[in-house]
């Protein structure tokens, strides 16, 4: 029986008589799924059933052959194992989740290497703590040590939102599937006119949202309650940060919206 060709974005398989420009192959960590690498692919992956005892073969872009993509390749193998199965509603949902996690992981690996992520609309943006002027990881580490005794287990990134607000959210790790706290900082802070105490102030503020989560009182959701405001004022440069946040940040945001350099 001929094997079934599946394509991530619905592309039709190439005719059998046309030879693909394929580099050498490797196996997944469990040794059951074979990977082949095609330099012509960039934004899609493909799988074909029936490689070994019913396990599939996966075609990946050639740039995914390196050791840094090992965990992402294992996600691709898991995706392929489900993609060749019967199309139940449950399996379809799992296939969609796995492919989303795969591309999220790939984007993160590329960004960590200093390369541009794969541009696909609707995808979760990768975590980018290194800005043009400031490294958020260093600021978070200092705040965590000074105010939280290194007990916080969160990650931090520059926000892609143009509106200017920093925020805290919960995201799933694409490799493990586990939830983690993510702090996103407005790019209005990544400017030459922004002192470190101002960035540290907003990072401390967002860390407090993890330590003191919103609560509901009398049917009303309270985000910045009395306890929160009391803890917030413990930041040593609270007044200076608050002044910068109110007076300078809006100007930086307007500059960003007009595509002007900060």
């Amino acid at each position: 029986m001929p094997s079934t060709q599946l394509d991530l974005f619905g592309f039709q398989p190439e005719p059998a008589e046309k030879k693909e420009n394929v580099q050498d192959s490797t196996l997944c960590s469990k040794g059951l799924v074979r990977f082949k690498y095609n330099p012509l692919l960039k934004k899609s992956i493909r799988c074909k059933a029936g490689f070994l005892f019913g396990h599939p073969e996966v075609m990946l872009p050639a740039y995914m052959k390196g050791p840094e993509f090992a965990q992402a390749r294992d996600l691709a193998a898991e995706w392929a194992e489900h993609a060749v199965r019967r199309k139940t509603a449950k399996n379809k949902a799992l296939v969609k989740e796995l492919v989303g996690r795969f591309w999220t992981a790939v984007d993160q690996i590329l960004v960590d290497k200093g390369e541009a992520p794969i541009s696909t609309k609707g995808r979760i943006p990768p975590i980018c703590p290194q800005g043009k002027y400031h490294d958020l990881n260093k600021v978070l580490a200092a705040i965590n040590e000074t105010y939280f005794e290194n007990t916080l287990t969160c990650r931090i990134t520059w926000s892609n939102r143009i509106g200017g607000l920093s925020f805290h959210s919960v995201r799933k790790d694409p490799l493990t599937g586990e939830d983690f706290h993510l702090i996103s900082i407005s790019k209005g802070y990544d400017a030459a006119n922004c002192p470190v105490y101002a960035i540290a102030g907003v990072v401390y503020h967002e860390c407090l949202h993890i330590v003191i989560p919103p609560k509901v009182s009398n049917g009303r959701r309270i985000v910045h309650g009395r306890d929160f405001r009391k803890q917030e004022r413990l930041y040593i440069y609270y007044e200076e940060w608050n002044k910068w946040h109110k007076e300078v940040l809006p100007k930086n945001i307007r500059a960003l919206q007009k595509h002007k350099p900060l």
Side-chain angles (χ1 to χ4, degrees):
M1 181 181 293
S3 59
T4 303
Q5 178 79 24
L6 299 175
D7 189 279
L8 177 56
F9 292 112
F11 298 130
Q12 293 298 318
E14 295 180 349
E17 64 272 11
K18 185 177 179 179
K19 187 176 180 180
E20 291 188 283
N21 184 11
V22 178
Q23 296 182 352
D24 54 353
S25 63
T26 58
L27 294 175
C28 73
S29 62
K30 295 181 180 178
L32 298 175
V33 175
R34 180 170 64 185
F35 299 112
K36 286 189 174 181
Y37 302 93
N38 190 334
L40 301 180
L41 293 179
K42 183 177 182 182
K43 299 181 180 180
S44 68
I45 60 176
R46 304 172 182 176
C47 70
K48 185 169 60 175
F51 157 60
L52 176 66
F53 304 113
H55 296 285
E57 177 183 87
V58 179
M59 184 75 69
L60 298 173
Y63 66 85
M64 294 184 186
K65 187 182 176 184
E68 66 273 24
F69 287 95
Q71 289 181 293
R73 288 196 297 269
D74 283 346
L75 269 179
E78 189 178 355
W79 162 77
E81 292 276 22
H82 289 278
V84 297
R85 294 177 184 173
R86 191 164 60 90
K87 300 296 185 293
T88 64
K90 182 178 180 181
N91 193 49
K92 282 172 147 182
L94 183 56
V95 167
K96 183 177 180 180
E97 176 197 344
L98 287 169
V99 78
R101 287 170 55 191
F102 168 79
W103 285 111
T104 300
V106 167
D107 275 350
Q108 190 62 60
I109 293 165
L110 291 173
V111 167
D112 290 344
K113 291 175 63 180
E115 300 175 16
I118 302 298
S119 177
T120 301
K121 188 177 179 180
R123 237 176 240 164
I124 297 175
I127 296 172
C128 301
Q130 180 62 60
K132 183 177 180 180
Y133 297 96
H134 301 287
D135 183 351
L136 289 173
N137 276 336
K138 292 182 179 179
V139 179
L140 176 60
I143 289 294
N144 197 4
E145 179 180 4
T146 303
Y147 292 97
F148 303 102
E149 298 181 341
N150 285 325
T151 58
L152 285 181
T153 55
C154 57
R155 303 180 197 176
I156 195 165
T157 185
W158 290 107
S159 173
N160 285 332
R161 296 182 182 180
I162 302 299
L165 292 178
S166 302
F167 59 97
H168 155 253
S169 60
V170 177
R171 188 187 286 190
K172 281 191 179 296
D173 187 295
L175 297 175
T176 66
E178 297 177 352
D179 291 341
F180 67 91
H181 293 282
L182 178 65
I183 292 173
S184 300
I185 300 299
S186 167
K187 283 188 177 177
Y189 281 91
D190 189 24
N193 66 0
C194 182
V196 175
Y197 70 74
I199 304 174
V202 71
V203 170
Y204 176 67
H205 175 95
E206 296 304 329
C207 285
L208 284 180
H209 280 303
I210 300 174
V211 178
I212 308 174
K215 61 181 180 180
V216 177
S217 178
N218 297 323
R220 184 164 159 260
R221 188 171 182 266
I222 301 174
V223 178
H224 300 121
R226 182 181 300 175
D227 291 342
F228 186 96
R229 292 302 186 191
K230 182 179 179 181
Q231 288 294 118
E232 186 179 39
R233 288 184 175 275
L234 294 180
Y235 175 54
I236 188 172
Y237 294 110
Y238 173 79
E239 298 296 342
E240 292 87 345
W241 161 61
N242 209 28
K243 187 177 189 312
W244 192 96
H245 180 84
K246 291 179 178 179
E247 295 179 1
V248 184
L249 179 62
K251 297 176 184 178
N252 285 359
I253 296 304
R254 287 194 291 271
L256 283 174
Q257 291 171 339
K258 294 178 182 179
H259 305 288
K260 294 181 179 180
L262 296 181

